[in-house]
Amino acid sequence: QVQLVESGGGLVQAGDSLRLSCAASGRTFSSYVMGWFRQAPGKEREFVATINRSGGNTYYADSVKGRFTISRDGAKNTVYLQMNSLKPEDTAVYYCAASTRPYSARASLYDYWGQGTQVTVSS
């Protein structure tokens, strides 16, 4: 079992940056693949980024590639999402998730989810 708590969301203007954090507690953090997903009003939850257990491999949705960076700090049991050049279409609730399965962009393969943090980007 692992508990996930996101933080760092807020209201920003287009072109600004934000860094989201997700603190994990419970079982060994390094045993989980970690991912970020987002859900905009009226839309389904979509994949944003994922990072493997060692932190050596990352994978991004095309919509955020080159603008967002996922990273993890094992000493702090935390995964981050650095978001640069934010656009109004990035507005969503952002969720952190943990998986005991292989590295994947599929939400159904993630076992644990945080409560989410709101990111709003104004034009």
Side-chain angles (χ1 to χ4, degrees):
Q1 193 87 2
V2 63
Q3 292 78 44
L4 303 172
V5 179
E6 302 98 334
S7 61
L11 171 63
V12 297
Q13 293 187 331
D16 286 350
S17 297
L18 273 178
R19 188 177 78 158
L20 305 183
S21 299
C22 173
S25 60
R27 284 184 59 187
T28 306
F29 178 67
S30 62
S31 66
Y32 294 99
V33 166
M34 300 299 296
W36 285 97
F37 292 79
R38 66 187 182 186
Q39 188 166 18
K43 295 188 177 181
E44 293 189 355
R45 190 169 298 189
E46 65 172 359
F47 167 74
V48 175
T50 186
I51 188 165
N52 72 345
R53 291 171 175 81
S54 69
N57 286 303
T58 57
Y59 179 67
Y60 298 91
D62 287 344
S63 59
V64 306
K65 200 173 297 183
R67 299 188 298 122
F68 291 11
T69 302
I70 188 171
S71 61
R72 63 192 297 162
D73 184 337
K76 296 182 178 180
N77 284 3
T78 300
V79 62
Y80 302 98
L81 186 68
Q82 177 67 43
M83 306 186 294
N84 298 329
S85 303
L86 282 161
K87 305 176 181 180
E89 51 263 44
D90 294 319
T91 295
V93 177
Y94 283 71
Y95 297 91
C96 171
S99 175
T100 58
R101 297 176 177 84
Y103 182 61
S104 173
R106 293 173 56 188
S108 61
L109 297 184
Y110 286 76
D111 306 283
Y112 304 102
W113 293 82
Q115 293 300 305
T117 185
Q118 176 71 47
V119 172
T120 303
V121 184
S122 64
S123 57

